[in-house]
Amino acid sequence: QVQLVESGGGSVQAGGSLRLSCTATASVYCMGWFRQAPGKEREGVGVVNRLGIKYYTNSVRGRFTVSRDNGKNTLYLQMNSLRSEDTGVYYCTADPDSCNFPTVPDYWGQGIQVTVSS
């Protein structure tokens, strides 16, 4: 079992930035972020494998950056130019075998709220 703990959420005005972090209890091949907006289905945001190869959903490409520090088993999500539609609960995810985005990963964090006000 891999446990994931997110931090860094909060509230920001549209156009602002936030950085999320996630620490895993073990090294995992693929780590990423999913989110769920109020009244909407869960969607993948972006993932990165241990080699640094990344995949993003179209709506965040160019604004969000997923990165990881393999030595610290830590994942980051830098979110710039935030929009009200980015509001939601963001989940850190991990999968030991696959980074086939946006396939649902095996492990999930508790989730952290991000609120963007216009």
Side-chain angles (χ1 to χ4, degrees):
Q1 288 286 334
V2 177
Q3 294 184 334
L4 305 168
V5 179
E6 302 104 335
S7 62
S11 298
V12 65
Q13 289 191 332
S17 298
L18 278 176
R19 188 192 196 207
L20 305 182
S21 300
C22 170
T23 300
T25 55
S27 176
V28 193
Y29 172 68
C30 184
M31 297 185 75
W33 297 93
F34 279 61
R35 68 185 179 185
Q36 187 162 22
K40 294 188 177 181
E41 293 187 356
R42 183 178 56 191
E43 66 169 347
V45 175
V47 297
V48 55
N49 69 17
R50 194 178 283 128
L51 300 177
I53 298 173
K54 305 174 185 180
Y55 304 92
Y56 295 97
T57 192
N58 287 339
S59 63
V60 307
R61 190 172 289 115
R63 301 187 298 122
F64 290 12
T65 302
V66 178
S67 61
R68 63 189 286 173
D69 184 331
N70 292 332
K72 296 180 180 179
N73 294 335
T74 300
L75 175 74
Y76 304 99
L77 179 65
Q78 178 66 44
M79 303 183 289
N80 299 327
S81 301
L82 282 160
R83 305 167 180 168
S84 56
E85 55 263 39
D86 295 317
T87 294
V89 178
Y90 283 68
Y91 297 92
C92 177
T93 66
D95 196 291
D97 302 314
S98 173
C99 239
N100 188 20
F101 185 74
T103 301
V104 177
D106 285 351
Y107 301 108
W108 292 72
Q110 292 295 313
I112 193 165
Q113 179 69 41
V114 170
T115 302
V116 183
S117 57
S118 56

